[in-house]
Amino acid sequence: MLALLALPMLPAHAQQAATGRWTTIDDATGKPKSVVEIYQARDGSFAGRVTEVLDTKHGPDPNCIKCSGSNKDKPIKGMVILWGLKPDGAGHWSGGRVLDPDNGKTYKSKLELLDGGRKLGMSGCIAFFCRQQVWIRQ
């Protein structure tokens, strides 16, 4: 009986985690850009991989032409663009890095659940200056 009473609470609890699929929204245009799946990595940190590219101004399967190193000229779809995030309080993760495939640069990153877990604030930071995108849970 107690297990049955706990069932309605599962979706609310699940929304308090950053894991899952998120539609990224371009903060300049306000349009959907991609779908990123956030998952827990083997080391316990959180990471995010592009599962779909929705913005097709660079073709249906764009490569990361401005990236360097192992990501140079690799397809953006399937690329890990967010890594190393660790819990930093309820609904917050920090200490990670984010790759912007548009310019090939990486930034310090942090995540914050918004709107009861239906949205995710993803911030990329240089020193104390941060820029936030709000992603929508799928």
Side-chain angles (χ1 to χ4, degrees), residues 31-116:
K31 295 181 180 179
K33 192 167 187 172
S34 65
V35 175
V36 172
E37 181 176 10
I38 297 179
Y39 59 94
Q40 190 164 14
R42 290 182 192 164
D43 68 358
S45 67
F46 290 84
R49 173 181 293 112
V50 176
T51 59
E52 294 178 52
V53 178
L54 305 174
D55 175 8
T56 59
K57 66 182 174 190
H58 298 293
D61 193 18
N63 290 338
C64 194
I65 57 175
K66 293 188 177 179
C67 288
S68 60
S70 63
N71 285 331
K72 178 85 175 136
D73 296 323
K74 298 288 192 233
I76 294 172
K77 183 177 179 180
M79 187 175 287
V80 175
I81 62 161
L82 192 61
W83 63 91
L85 290 148
K86 304 219 178 199
D88 186 18
H92 293 82
W93 296 263
S94 64
R97 303 290 292 175
V98 61
L99 166 68
D100 182 346
D102 284 342
N103 64 23
K105 295 180 181 178
T106 60
Y107 305 92
K108 291 180 182 179
S109 65
K110 58 185 177 179
L111 302 175
E112 174 185 10
L113 287 175
L114 306 170
D115 196 19

Side-chain angles (χ1 to χ4, degrees), residues 21 50-51 56 120 124 133 136:
R21 290 171 52 94
V50 176
T51 59
T56 59
L120 183 71
Q133 288 184 342
I136 311 298

